[in-house]
């Protein structure tokens, strides 16, 4: 019987790639999949790594083929499948054996599972980077007791992406901290993608550019401040040709975006935490709206669609708008994590979070390195106020304003960039307009207000 270093359950897209990555890094990995033929096929296709991959047909075999104390990664769909696998595995394991849920669990469920586990070792880790990341180096956000992380971190660090030799795998905190950070990562990802899609919309509908030229523009931006995986793949998507029709790929893809829930969880949690993340919220709303194809067609028939030509902004303005929008949406995500850290008592390592996102994950970008530096200097400051990003915002917020204004006049929907601009303007207005809200609340509900010249619980002369 083998003495594999680690076990893995669930040989789907992510699990298969992760198992190969583990084997590739010199560890023996025992694997089990609900459908046995998938296990066999996986092992048969392991090629040069087949000596490191140990297929098993039953959970008992899987457990028996692991060295003690055992560690088993679950890479199955979030929700019931995770609970089912834990329930099936636990009776077969010793008290010091560890279960690691590496799927996209809701962090509340990870909190619950960690508490249910009691003294039985359990980790919830967020893994980002899609199939390629899982195979060649994902970004890994660990959650659970530090001692449990330390037991398996040599494997998780070995398989993670590296940024200038620094591993993109870090322990984030207890219980669901890792899955929470992964959810916020995905929320930021939604906003980043949405802002890029909005820039595409201006180029396509306002500026009349063809996909190939749009692709060239994204490529050019990828050589500057916007250098990132998402900018790079947007260029490739825009320049791709449909083998079936010979048309640009973008023109044959239905404009209804899918989602699996992590963006929604982030927005719901932000509301619970009372922390504003409007650009992320707008991005989730935009995906929901995108699925209303029939209703949008009805609206177009009723009001007419053809956006007006947008001639008074340049591609440089659009690039500047995206730079400003990107900083604003990341600032919101980090603000949310700071608030959650306080609320849940996690002490989330914000600079390290920026660091583990620099490689391996979907939002990896050049800017994240500067964010890591800014957060290292002052982890409590809104990223927008860090000198480097304040400079970028000073240089680019007018471009964002021009683009949002031109899009509004032209009739191009811009939910994420426009809400990002509103956040920026609100965050640089020392005296806003909530005094009117307080006056209204006191008028109808006697809720009281604080006076600028001192004292709380005042009431207005409304009845006079
Ligand atoms: P897939 O659908 O490709 O694979 C799912 C795997 O889980 C299969 O091996 C399947 O086995 C197994 N499975 C499904 N239901 C059960 C069950 N009830 N009990 C036991 N095994 C089950 O999913 P992915 O690999 O894409 O995703 C796995 C996890 O990783 C999810 O939580 C996902 O959100 C997360 N994730 C996915 C990413 C991606 O880009 N795809 C990125 C980051 C995280 P069988 O062969 O028998 O059907």
């Amino acid at each position: 019987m083998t003495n594999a270093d680690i076990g893995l359950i669930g040989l789907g897209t992510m699990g298969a790639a992760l198992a190969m990555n583990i084997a590739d890094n010199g560890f023996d990995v025992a694997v089990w999949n609900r459908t046995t033929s998938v296990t066999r096929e996986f092992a048969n296709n392991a090629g040069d790594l087949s000596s490191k991959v140990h297929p098993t047909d039953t959970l008992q075999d899987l457990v028996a083929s692991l060295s003690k104390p055992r560690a088993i990664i679950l890479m199955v769909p979030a929700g019931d499948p995770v609970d089912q696998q834990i329930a099936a595995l636990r009776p077969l394991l010793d008290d010091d054996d560890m279960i690691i849920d590496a799927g996209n669990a809701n962090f509340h469920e990870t909190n619950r599972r960690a508490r249910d586990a009691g003294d039985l070792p359990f980790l919830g880790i967020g893994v980002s980077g899609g199939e390629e990341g899982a195979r060649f180096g994902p970004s890994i956000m660990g959650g659970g007791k530090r001692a449990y992380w330390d037991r398996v971190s040599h494997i998780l660090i070995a398989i993670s992406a590296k940024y200038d030799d620094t591993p993109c795998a870090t322990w984030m905190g207890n219980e669901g901290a890792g899955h929470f950070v992964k959810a916020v990562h995905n929320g930021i990802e939604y906003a980043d993608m949405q802002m890029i899609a909005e820039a595409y919309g201006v180029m396509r509908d306002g500026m009349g550019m063809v996909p190939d030229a749009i692709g060239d523009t994204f490529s050019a931006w990828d050589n500057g401040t916007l250098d990132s995986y998402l900018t790079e793949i947007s260029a490739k998507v825009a320049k791709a040709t449909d083998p079936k029709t010979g048309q640009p790929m973008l023109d044959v893809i239905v404009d209804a975006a899918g989602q699996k829930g992590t963006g929604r969880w982030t927005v719901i949690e932000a509301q619970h935490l009372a922390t504003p993340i409007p650009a992320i919220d707008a991005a989730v709303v935009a995906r929901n709206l995108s699925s209303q194809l029939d209703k949008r067609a009805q609206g177009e028939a009723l009001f007419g669609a053809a956006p007006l030509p947008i001639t008074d902004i340049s591609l440089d303005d659009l690039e500047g708008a995206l730079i400003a929008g990107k900083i604003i949406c990341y600032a919101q995500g980090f603000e949310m994590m700071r608030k959650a850290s306080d609320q849940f008592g996690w002490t989330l390592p914000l600079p390290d979070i920026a660091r583990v996102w620099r490689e391996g994950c979907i939002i990896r970008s050049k800017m994240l390195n500067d964010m890591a530096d800014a957060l290292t200097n002052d982890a409590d400051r809104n990223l927008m106020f860090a000198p480097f990003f304040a400079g970028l915002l000073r240089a680019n917020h007018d471009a964002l304003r021009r683009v949002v204004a031109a899009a509004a006049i032209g009739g191009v929907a811009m939910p994420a960039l426009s809400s990002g601009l509103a956040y920026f303007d609100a965050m640089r207005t020392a005296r806003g307009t909530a005094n009117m809200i307080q006056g209204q609340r006191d008028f109808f509900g006697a809720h009281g207000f604080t006076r600028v010249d001192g004292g709380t619980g005042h009431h207005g002369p409304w009845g006079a």
Side-chain angles (χ1 to χ4, degrees):
M1 193 53 75
T2 38
N3 266 320
D5 300 294
I6 195 158
L8 187 141
I9 290 177
L11 292 168
T13 307
M14 291 296 284
L18 211 58
M20 291 295 277
N21 185 357
I22 293 169
D24 216 0
N25 276 282
F27 300 100
D28 284 280
V29 57
V31 294
W32 179 84
N33 193 71
R34 179 180 61 175
T35 308
T36 305
S37 58
V38 173
T39 315
R40 292 286 143 202
E41 198 185 333
F42 171 77
N44 290 339
N45 292 331
D48 292 348
L49 296 173
S50 56
S51 65
K52 308 298 283 178
V53 167
H54 308 283
T56 60
D57 290 346
T58 65
L59 282 180
Q60 285 79 358
D61 285 350
L62 175 77
V63 169
S65 53
L66 296 172
S67 61
K68 294 183 182 180
R70 305 174 181 93
I72 300 176
I73 295 175
L74 304 182
M75 211 36 162
V76 300
D80 290 344
V82 175
D83 287 318
Q84 288 160 11
Q85 280 309 313
I86 292 174
L89 264 179
R90 263 295 160 216
L92 308 176
L93 297 177
D94 295 335
D95 284 356
D96 55 353
D97 292 340
M98 190 182 326
I99 296 178
I100 305 166
D101 176 17
N104 267 341
N106 182 315
F107 84 98
H108 287 295
E109 294 197 349
T110 306
N111 284 347
R112 189 223 344 126
R113 290 182 185 121
R115 284 168 202 162
D116 288 352
D119 290 333
L120 304 173
F122 177 78
L123 281 180
I125 65 171
V127 176
S128 176
E131 184 178 14
E132 198 193 326
R135 174 63 185 87
F136 298 108
S139 170
I140 298 178
M141 295 145 260
K145 285 187 186 153
R146 177 74 205 219
Y148 301 157
W149 169 263
D150 289 343
R151 244 176 67 185
V152 287
S153 61
H154 62 292
I155 298 178
L156 299 176
I157 284 172
I159 65 168
S160 73
K162 310 290 179 301
Y163 181 93
D164 282 350
D165 295 334
T166 305
C168 295
T170 297
W171 178 74
M172 299 295 170
N174 287 322
E175 298 188 335
H179 279 138
F180 178 85
V181 172
K182 172 73 201 294
V184 177
H185 164 285
N186 285 22
I188 293 173
E189 176 186 313
Y190 272 51
D192 208 339
M193 291 168 73
Q194 174 64 25
M195 287 178 178
I196 291 172
E198 290 173 14
Y200 157 68
V202 168
M203 289 190 269
R204 184 190 69 181
D205 299 334
M207 296 175 155
M209 289 169 64
V210 296
D212 197 51
I214 293 172
D216 287 341
T217 307
F218 282 130
S219 276
W221 292 350
D222 193 37
N223 289 320
T225 308
L226 291 172
D227 178 348
S228 69
Y229 174 70
L230 284 171
T231 312
E232 179 194 332
I233 65 165
S234 301
K236 289 181 177 162
V237 169
K239 289 184 82 70
T241 303
D242 175 27
K244 188 172 162 197
T245 62
Q247 290 180 36
M249 267 321 293
L250 273 175
D251 291 351
V252 301
I253 299 176
V254 173
D255 64 320
Q259 56 181 316
K260 286 190 176 162
T262 42
R264 187 182 313 134
W265 294 343
T266 308
V267 169
I268 291 170
E269 206 51 45
Q271 292 292 346
H272 287 307
L273 290 164
T275 182
I277 55 164
I280 296 170
D281 182 51
V284 175
V285 169
R287 286 209 193 180
N288 296 339
L289 218 149
S290 77
S291 67
Q292 301 193 359
L293 288 165
D294 291 347
K295 289 184 181 164
R296 288 193 282 121
Q298 283 171 29
E300 179 167 334
L302 193 58
F303 300 114
L308 301 172
I310 294 177
T311 53
D312 46 357
I313 55 165
S314 65
L315 288 175
D316 286 347
D317 285 332
L318 210 47
E319 182 184 17
L322 270 187
I323 291 169
K326 188 170 174 122
I327 295 166
I328 292 164
C329 93
Y330 280 65
Q332 292 172 11
F334 278 98
E335 287 293 290
M336 177 173 174
M337 288 189 285
R338 184 178 302 112
K339 184 83 184 280
S341 192
D342 292 345
Q343 186 111 345
F344 303 131
W346 279 335
T347 57
L348 291 177
L350 298 189
D352 287 342
I353 292 172
R355 273 185 208 105
V356 299
W357 289 352
R358 290 179 303 183
E359 264 306 332
C361 67
I362 303 297
I363 63 171
R364 59 187 182 260
S365 71
K366 190 169 133 190
M367 223 186 249
L368 271 163
N369 195 36
D370 299 315
M371 290 182 185
D373 289 345
L375 290 160
T376 302
N377 288 335
D378 186 348
D380 293 328
R381 178 176 50 196
N382 186 312
L383 262 182
M384 295 195 310
F385 303 156
F388 178 78
F389 292 106
L392 277 178
L393 281 169
R394 270 191 215 100
N396 290 294
H397 77 86
D398 276 342
L400 175 58
R401 203 170 301 287
R402 282 194 294 278
V403 166
V404 169
I409 302 284
V412 176
M414 194 157 267
L417 283 169
S418 63
S419 73
L421 177 62
Y423 176 85
F424 171 77
D425 281 336
M427 287 297 286
R428 65 168 191 157
T429 303
R431 179 153 173 80
T433 56
N435 48 328
M436 170 56 93
I437 310 251
Q438 286 300 80
Q440 294 164 341
R441 292 180 71 241
D442 190 55
F443 189 105
F444 64 69
H447 293 295
F449 53 80
T450 303
R451 291 181 59 95
V452 293
D453 52 4
T456 57
H458 290 283
H459 296 285
W462 320 124

